[in-house]
Amino acid sequence: MKTFTDKVAAITGAGSGMGRSLALELARRGTHLALSDIDEASVAATAAACRALGVRVTSQRLDVAEREAVFAWARASVAAHGKVNLVFNNAGVSLSVPVATARQEDFVWLMDINFWGVVHGTQAFLPYLTASGEGHIVNTSSLFGIIAMPTQSAYNASKFAVRGFTEALRMELDLAGAPVSCTCVHPGGVATNIVTASRIDDSIAAFTGVDPQTHRRRANQLIDVTSADAAARQILIGVERNARRVLVGPDARRVDKLARVLGASYQALVVWFYRRSAMSAKRSRASAAAADATTHSTN
């Protein structure tokens, strides 16, 4: 897809983060928009900002885990705009918990959004993208769709699944000679609210050496590598180039190289890092406790 002018794009998770940035960047390029998010107020705010840029915009509340609702949204989008050329299956959530203590309902919640939401969006819009004569599907995986990390088993499972699903889809579209292509996106640390809104189980302290609140704060610091606006621009460059995948951010590119060089041996490196971090956290807690005891004894 060489130009986005007068195309129509459907975006999930458009209320914040990369979804909002994609919507605004596309609006600047003259793309009309069908936006959705589970937070109705936030997606309405994104829609208003995009309309101010002079494009047609529709928006609605949508839970991508609800298959029939996604298909209904696709029908409504085409009815409102006349066509859809691009779909960005972007909505996602995160969960931090060791496998041994993970609850099935948390796994199901995450997979329904991160994986099944992508499947629903792809299948709902694919016929309309084909009918448009020039279509593109953009599915959001993750850096954690390239390597796995402790306490991220559910998130890893969903993002590896998105990767496999999208790569298979791309080959099917190539074999069919379809007027539709697709790209798998692997963002590294992108400054969004995904960590703030994530579910973090108390049991991760045994693996990380820190409590859930500290874990959330550190995770927010770690993802502050690439801005959502910069991520959106990188993704759209990938669409223009018909890239099979897009690595967003320098951290994603570094980790991809690491995984290629080390293969499965990267896991030993991650284990070493986690043990080192846990020991450092333990020493910090001990020092703080000793300082506190000294303070009390002198008072």
Side-chain angles (χ1 to χ4, degrees), residues 8 34 58 72-84 124-125 127-129:
V8 177
T58 56
W73 175 53
R75 292 192 296 271
S77 298
V78 173
H81 293 276
K83 64 178 181 178
V84 173
F125 280 96
Y128 302 118
L129 299 180

Side-chain angles (χ1 to χ4, degrees), residues 117-136:
V118 169
V119 175
H120 298 161
T122 298
Q123 292 185 324
F125 280 96
L126 184 53
Y128 302 118
L129 299 180
T130 302
S132 77
E134 185 182 14
H136 206 101

Side-chain angles (χ1 to χ4, degrees), residues 263-280:
S265 297
Y266 83 84
Q267 296 170 37
L269 183 61
V270 172
V271 169
W272 171 84
F273 174 79
Y274 263 75
R275 284 176 174 161
R276 184 172 178 269
S277 297
M279 289 176 62
S280 177

Side-chain angles (χ1 to χ4, degrees), residues 49-78:
C50 292
R51 288 191 190 98
L53 295 170
V55 297
R56 295 190 309 275
V57 185
T58 56
S59 68
Q60 71 170 69
R61 181 191 181 279
L62 179 71
D63 183 350
V64 296
E66 299 176 359
R67 181 176 176 84
E68 291 307 315
V70 176
F71 275 73
W73 175 53
R75 292 192 296 271
S77 298
V78 173

Side-chain angles (χ1 to χ4, degrees), residues 1-88:
M1 189 165 291
K2 301 303 181 183
T3 179
F4 297 102
T5 305
D6 286 329
K7 299 295 195 301
V8 177
I11 306 174
T12 67
S16 63
M18 289 198 309
R20 176 180 171 84
S21 291
L22 281 165
L24 288 166
E25 185 62 31
L26 285 165
R28 294 184 192 102
R29 301 183 188 204
T31 307
H32 308 294
L33 301 165
L35 307 178
S36 70
D37 197 285
I38 198 165
D39 185 329
E40 189 170 12
S42 68
V43 74
T46 300
C50 292
R51 288 191 190 98
L53 295 170
V55 297
R56 295 190 309 275
V57 185
T58 56
S59 68
Q60 71 170 69
R61 181 191 181 279
L62 179 71
D63 183 350
V64 296
E66 299 176 359
R67 181 176 176 84
E68 291 307 315
V70 176
F71 275 73
W73 175 53
R75 292 192 296 271
S77 298
V78 173
H81 293 276
K83 64 178 181 178
V84 173
N85 303 97
L86 302 110
V87 59
F88 294 82

Side-chain angles (χ1 to χ4, degrees), residues 286-299:
S287 296
D292 186 60
T294 300
T295 300
H296 280 84
S297 67
T298 58
N299 286 341

